[in-house]
Amino acid sequence: MDRSGEFQKWKAQSLSKADLSRKGSVDEDVVELVRLLNGREQFFTTSSCSGRILLLDGGIDGCEIQKQNCSWLLVTHRLCAKDDVLSALKKARGDAVLKFEPFVLHVQCRQLQDAQVLHSAAVDSGFRNSGITVGKRGKTMLAVRSTHGLEVPLSSEGRLMVTEEYIDFLLKVANQKMEENKKRVDRFYSCLQLALEREEASGLRPETNKMARPVYTRRRKRKTEKTRGRRNSAEKQKDLGSDEDNAEISLSFFPENY
């Protein structure tokens, strides 16, 4: 079913609104990446975060640490200094947690094959926890994400439970992760540019559209023949080695939240 018109309507509605992240706008380090995607007719971004170090205060009610139910004592998308964390910790009244959250990006794609192009570029760039969600209304969402996060409790009921030396050590780790995160984002931008250029080039030559997308696992499905004249075993073996005709794509899917 052709959903091009409906997709363009969704895109127009999304781009007329603010970024769905808590900040409500695109971080400086990923502006060019977001612009690249939104400039293509087959994509539009819904939310993004370039990566951040944050200090959360979970309050004094003993509830589980959840970002929507706690105070944000410190948020930065840059490298973080120990003095900034110590200053922010003075405001804690509950269970303060230091976190590093890597780059995340959500993109709605016109078709599944468009999402596959982005997914391949994301995985090749180090974002190996990325996945595709296909919704009931035909919405195809790609989430770009990785697993190199950090989450460490620092205080309990407002009382600091670790030393300044340990906080200094944690920040070195968090800052190293931030630097690695930036490298992956830059690599993703470069891989994405190349992938989109190749996709456009292949579009001019329909016969190249069957080229394998390397990130996906293909499993052959052998059809059961019910016709009278069965082929010999050598022919069957040859068919099992042929390329894309009956290929099946194995994807990573996640629950739809859109």
Side-chain angles (χ1 to χ4, degrees):
M1 183 182 297
D2 184 8
R3 293 181 175 271
S4 298
E6 189 173 17
F7 176 82
Q8 293 304 324
K9 181 180 178 180
W10 288 335
K11 181 171 182 175
Q13 291 175 344
S14 177
L15 296 183
S16 67
K17 302 176 183 178
D19 188 277
L20 295 181
S21 62
R22 180 186 178 98
K23 180 182 176 183
S25 61
V26 179
D27 296 334
E28 181 181 351
D29 286 343
V30 294
V31 166
E32 292 302 319
L33 173 60
V34 169
R35 185 176 293 138
L36 173 64
L37 288 166
N38 288 333
R40 303 297 175 119
E41 62 178 2
Q42 67 269 42
F43 308 115
F44 66 88
T45 61
T46 59
S47 65
S48 62
C49 177
S50 63
R52 61 193 176 189
I53 296 172
L54 60 160
L55 185 66
L56 306 177
D57 185 9
I60 59 176
D61 57 359
C63 64
E64 181 181 357
I65 295 294
Q66 293 181 346
K67 287 182 290 187
Q68 63 269 29
N69 296 323
C70 60
S71 300
W72 293 53
L73 303 177
L74 173 68
V75 182
T76 179
H77 299 274
R78 296 285 183 261
L79 301 183
C80 190
K82 182 179 71 173
D83 289 344
D84 294 333
V85 173
L86 293 176
S87 178
L89 275 171
K90 295 177 182 178
K91 305 174 186 177
R93 297 292 179 267
D95 300 338
V97 175
L98 179 71
K99 301 186 69 176
F100 166 72
E101 296 180 338
F103 167 72
V104 63
L105 175 70
H106 294 93
V107 185
Q108 187 166 335
C109 308
R110 183 176 55 189
Q111 298 178 358
L112 179 60
Q113 65 190 44
D114 299 321
Q116 291 168 0
V117 172
L118 299 194
H119 185 266
S120 178
V123 172
D124 289 345
S125 304
F127 297 104
R128 302 186 184 281
N129 199 36
S130 300
I132 299 171
T133 301
V134 179
K136 294 180 180 179
R137 293 182 58 197
K139 290 185 177 182
T140 302
M141 298 293 304
L142 171 77
V144 180
R145 51 195 175 191
S146 60
T147 58
H148 71 295
L150 178 70
E151 182 172 351
V152 183
L154 300 182
S155 70
S156 177
E157 298 181 353
R159 179 169 171 261
L160 188 62
M161 305 300 292
V162 298
T163 64
E164 290 188 19
E165 182 181 8
Y166 186 64
I167 293 176
D168 188 52
F169 166 74
L170 287 177
L171 286 177
K172 288 180 180 178
V173 174
N175 286 333
Q176 287 173 354
K177 288 179 177 290
M178 181 68 83
E179 291 174 337
E180 172 60 25
N181 179 76
K182 179 65 166 57
K183 292 177 182 178
R184 293 187 187 187
V185 172
D186 291 343
R187 192 157 57 239
F188 178 48
Y189 181 74
S190 298
C191 287
L192 184 56
Q193 280 186 311
L194 182 59
L196 293 177
E197 289 172 1
R198 286 176 174 173
E199 189 74 4
E200 288 181 349
S202 67
L204 299 176
R205 299 183 297 275
E207 68 274 10
T208 64
N209 289 340
K210 292 184 179 181
M211 293 296 291
R213 299 180 181 91
V215 72
Y216 300 99
T217 301
R218 291 176 169 79
R219 300 188 180 92
R220 294 285 306 168
K221 277 189 172 181
R222 180 179 176 182
K223 292 184 177 180
T224 303
E225 294 188 359
K226 295 183 178 180
T227 56
R228 293 181 179 178
R230 291 179 177 270
R231 294 172 294 178
N232 59 42
S233 59
E235 291 176 327
K236 291 180 183 179
Q237 195 66 27
K238 180 179 179 181
D239 286 343
L240 288 174
S242 62
D243 50 12
E244 302 292 327
D245 294 340
N246 300 313
E248 183 179 79
I249 298 175
S250 176
L251 300 174
S252 298
F253 290 95
F254 298 93
E256 182 182 14
N257 296 316
Y258 303 93

